[in-house]
Amino acid sequence: MKNEIIQFGGTKLNFPKEVLDKYNYNYNILAGNYNFISDVENLEIFIENKFNKKKSRNIYIFGKDATLLFNFPKLLEQFPAYQILFDSNSSLPEIQKNILKSKFGKPVNLDNGKELKKIIEFVMQSSIKQYGYKLDMSYVEIREQFRDKTVKKGNSHFEILGDFGQKMNQIVSWKMHPFGIEGNTTLTFTPEIKVVSGNVVLEFQVFLIDQATNRIIEVIKGSPEEFMNQKKLIINSTDTNKLVSVSLCASGGEGKLEIGQIHFRSYVSEESIMIQNGKRIIDYQRRNEELLYYFHPGDLKPPLSVYFSGYRSAEGFEGRGMMSRMGSPFILIADPRLEGGNFYIGSVELEEGIIDIINEKLKWLGFTNRELILSGLSMGTFAALYYSADLEPAAVIVGKPLTNIGLIAENERINRPEIWGTSLDMIMHFGNASNHNVANQLNDKFWTKFKNGKYQNTTFAIAYMKNDDYDGEAFYQIATYLRTLSPQPVLLYKGLIGRHNDNSVEINTWFIKQYRNILWDKFLRRIDYHL
């Protein structure tokens, strides 16, 4: 089913048919004074003066004669954020200007034919689906002279110490990866890498390889910074898919490197990551690792809901549809480190970055922390609970809570053999070693933070598995501690029979039900969709 580009008034745009077909859109231009009540075109954008959320993926263009811009602010403010273009020559009242600003509407000159390229770019950015993958550590090949000087830290990262010479030479390669790059596609290339010591100069080389002949078609070269800042892109301008291989070259004499995950992702724009308006927090202290976040202003009314993605090997954001249907502003936060996440903790800089982003959006919306909900499932529960100590929200809603990272790793040996080896990589990542002391330090990291929270009138809604084989102590520890603070925090909970990965459907149903109840109880909001 195609989405729509719907224009109200103004100059008709000469969209090329191939552009509309490529991005799966129909283009429809209507009179500037189109009557939404009679709705002779059966657009169903509004039903009983309420915006139809099924139309949220459409793009809306308002000409300077679009009466909705001037006469109907109550309707205008219901349109979806990031999906609005309006004529920059429109003389708008202040109220409408503020609405368009809050919806991140983009001004364009509809009378200038040269602006069509900018409009097409907007359509393209709105249409790109999030896509990304990592190059597996098993694909790594170290140049022979450095093999004895390389230490592999599980699948977290590896270290190379040595003399890299004065000429740029290849030191590491990642073999051809089966995912590759599709035809007529642009990807970003983001390496996790850090020069720990020395004056080492680095250059990555990304090879595009013909699938049929294994012949190298193109080599894209650049520094880690150029690739990370999206100044260098991986572009396959042909109709056929290409395989991808990567090499790292170095020069500059003696030094030490740390190399982590290698990420390929859909390119959206210079300002966005993964999806339109996707952003990132960079941990410059630890190999330039990233967390990703996406803010949507919703209807600009409380609360601001923050959802931390669960563990996912596919890069990108989780829960956008679910949070959009709730109507209120929300932030999605994703952790693309390791195989599929690393529990949203890291350097002080990284952790403060999460808190700063949430506080920044609260301030922008004019909300307080009493109008904030933190939430997550599985790995996301750790972050929701951990950062609740700093933010003291109105509510924390979690399913399958995990709090003891060290215990999760230690359970890999007896309770959960060979089920989730990435838990051992987490220990290596944070402690640079895999042992009981590091495990205990990570357990303590959560509880030291959590027990510093005040939780004045915070509601905790927790669904847990009674036989959890990842962290069987999390719920009981949380409940025991919160009861010592009674009556300030409120604890709502439900236990289900099963291990951590059992009965996700029931957990998810309860999770959404608690969101619905808390939105109504604390903010008089209703979610207008069925469980």
Side-chain angles (χ1 to χ4, degrees):
M1 183 176 178
K2 289 190 174 184
N3 291 319
E4 302 281 338
I5 300 172
I6 301 176
Q7 181 176 337
F8 302 100
T11 304
K12 183 176 181 179
L13 299 171
N14 187 25
F15 275 107
K17 183 178 183 301
E18 58 270 23
V19 170
L20 295 175
D21 290 343
K22 179 177 180 180
Y23 298 110
N24 202 35
Y25 277 97
N26 291 320
Y27 172 59
N28 193 5
I29 183 168
L30 304 167
N33 63 348
Y34 182 78
N35 189 325
F36 292 98
I37 305 301
S38 60
D39 195 21
V40 295
E41 298 288 337
N42 292 318
L43 299 177
E44 294 185 332
I45 295 175
F46 290 93
I47 299 175
E48 296 181 356
N49 287 331
K50 289 188 177 181
F51 183 82
N52 182 358
K53 292 184 180 180
K54 293 180 180 179
K55 306 295 182 178
S56 294
R57 295 290 176 151
N58 292 340
I59 291 173
Y60 300 94
I61 304 175
F62 297 101
K64 55 189 174 186
D65 59 335
T67 56
L68 187 145
L69 277 178
F70 304 95
N71 301 332
F72 303 99
K74 292 295 184 183
L75 296 183
L76 182 63
E77 68 183 6
Q78 295 183 53
F79 279 85
Y82 308 119
Q83 303 295 109
I84 299 173
L85 293 162
F86 65 96
D87 198 311
S88 56
N89 295 314
S90 303
S91 299
L92 297 172
E94 199 64 28
I95 291 176
Q96 280 82 339
K97 285 182 182 179
N98 290 333
I99 291 172
L100 291 169
K101 183 178 179 181
S102 70
K103 297 291 180 178
F104 299 92
K106 187 171 184 177
V108 290
N109 186 347
L110 296 182
D111 295 326
N112 185 343
K114 295 180 181 179
E115 290 278 85
L116 181 60
K117 181 180 178 182
K118 185 186 296 185
I119 296 169
I120 290 173
E121 288 176 353
F122 183 90
V123 172
M124 177 194 72
Q125 292 167 19
S126 300
S127 308
I128 291 175
K129 295 181 179 179
Q130 59 180 0
Y131 168 76
Y133 62 86
K134 306 176 185 70
L135 296 188
D136 196 293
M137 286 287 186
S138 61
Y139 284 78
V140 174
E141 188 171 296
I142 310 296
R143 188 174 177 181
E144 187 174 354
Q145 72 184 81
F146 293 104
R147 289 176 188 170
D148 293 340
K149 300 174 182 178
T150 299
V151 178
K152 189 168 184 289
K153 302 287 188 175
N155 288 314
S156 168
H157 64 283
F158 56 96
E159 302 170 352
I160 302 178
L161 177 67
D163 186 348
F164 300 103
Q166 297 306 314
K167 292 183 178 181
M168 195 67 74
N169 289 306
Q170 183 187 98
I171 59 170
V172 182
S173 63
W174 287 258
K175 302 172 189 177
M176 282 192 300
H177 201 279
F179 288 113
I181 176 172
E182 295 181 354
N184 299 307
T185 301
T186 301
L187 299 181
T188 66
F189 169 75
T190 307
E192 297 175 1
I193 191 165
K194 182 179 181 180
V195 177
V196 179
S197 63
N199 297 310
V200 183
V201 179
L202 302 173
E203 179 185 82
F204 277 98
Q205 299 178 355
V206 181
F207 300 86
L208 300 187
I209 301 166
D210 184 86
Q211 283 186 314
T213 65
N214 283 345
R215 184 170 62 89
I216 295 173
I217 304 299
E218 186 179 359
V219 183
I220 301 104
K221 300 180 180 180
S223 67
E225 292 74 23
E226 287 177 309
F227 282 115
M228 186 171 186
N229 295 327
Q230 303 189 127
K231 302 303 181 185
K232 294 274 187 175
L233 300 171
I234 313 304
I235 303 172
N236 181 9
S237 57
T238 69
D239 293 329
T240 58
N241 297 356
K242 298 290 185 296
L243 298 174
V244 171
S245 180
V246 177
S247 290
L248 173 63
C249 301
S251 66
E254 293 278 350
K256 181 179 179 181
L257 308 178
E258 289 184 354
I259 305 169
Q261 308 297 320
I262 304 294
H263 307 263
F264 284 93
R265 299 168 180 151
S266 296
Y267 173 71
V268 182
S269 70
E270 288 186 7
E271 298 81 24
S272 299
I273 304 294
M274 295 297 294
I275 58 176
Q276 189 181 26
N277 204 49
K279 306 294 182 184
R280 60 186 170 184
I281 303 167
I282 301 174
D283 193 340
Y284 293 103
Q285 304 301 314
R286 200 182 293 267
R287 297 179 290 279
N288 295 320
E289 295 176 342
E290 305 163 307
L291 298 179
L292 309 180
Y293 70 94
Y294 168 79
F295 168 68
H296 195 288
D299 60 8
L300 303 172
K301 300 173 184 176
L304 170 63
S305 298
V306 181
Y307 177 78
F308 293 91
S309 294
Y311 201 88
R312 47 180 286 144
S313 55
E315 299 218 348
F317 298 99
E318 177 181 275
R320 184 156 59 140
M322 174 183 68
M323 300 307 292
S324 294
R325 287 190 291 271
M326 294 183 187
S328 62
F330 65 89
I331 302 173
L332 305 178
I333 304 182
D335 187 342
R337 299 173 297 172
L338 297 182
E339 183 194 31
N342 204 10
F343 281 69
Y344 300 94
I345 56 175
S347 68
V348 172
E349 180 181 34
L350 184 80
E351 295 184 14
E352 288 182 347
I354 293 176
I355 297 166
D356 289 345
I357 290 300
I358 295 173
N359 280 328
E360 174 191 308
K361 300 309 179 186
L362 284 172
K363 183 178 180 180
W364 185 86
L365 291 162
F367 298 176
T368 71
N369 65 337
R370 303 311 309 153
E371 297 163 310
L372 172 66
I373 296 175
L374 301 181
S375 63
L377 296 167
S378 191
M379 184 186 75
T381 67
F382 182 99
L385 292 160
Y386 184 77
Y387 292 106
S388 69
D390 300 289
L391 296 162
E392 298 181 12
V396 178
I397 307 174
V398 295
K400 299 186 178 182
L402 300 173
T403 60
N404 301 291
I405 295 176
L407 179 61
I408 295 169
E410 291 183 318
N411 278 336
E412 183 71 11
R413 179 172 173 266
I414 301 296
N415 291 356
R416 199 187 61 246
E418 299 184 19
I419 296 296
W420 196 44
T422 302
S423 60
L424 304 175
D425 292 328
M426 294 186 301
I427 300 293
M428 185 67 75
H429 182 276
F430 292 116
N432 216 28
S434 290
N435 57 51
H436 186 65
N437 288 337
V438 175
N440 280 340
Q441 288 170 15
L442 281 172
N443 295 339
D444 292 342
K445 180 177 176 65
F446 175 87
W447 292 108
T448 299
K449 166 84 82 170
F450 188 72
K451 290 182 178 180
N452 276 328
K454 303 300 183 187
Y455 313 120
Q456 297 289 330
N457 300 312
T458 299
T459 297
F460 288 84
I462 304 174
Y464 69 100
M465 304 307 296
K466 293 183 177 180
N467 313 103
D468 199 302
D469 52 338
Y470 281 62
D471 184 358
E473 298 181 11
F475 170 74
Y476 302 101
Q477 289 177 293
I478 294 167
T480 299
Y481 176 68
L482 290 180
R483 283 166 182 152
T484 67
L485 303 179
S486 184
Q488 283 92 353
V490 175
L491 176 61
L492 310 172
Y493 62 91
K494 181 176 184 178
L496 301 176
I497 299 294
R499 296 162 298 181
H500 186 79
N501 288 322
D502 293 336
N503 209 351
S504 293
V505 171
E506 183 66 22
I507 290 287
N508 294 346
T509 299
W510 195 87
F511 176 86
I512 294 174
K513 183 178 181 180
Q514 298 316 303
Y515 245 115
R516 183 181 65 188
N517 292 345
I518 288 170
L519 287 174
W520 172 249
D521 182 60
K522 291 182 178 287
F523 304 102
L524 298 179
R525 299 185 67 109
R526 291 191 185 276
I527 303 177
D528 56 355
Y529 68 93
H530 298 290
L531 294 175

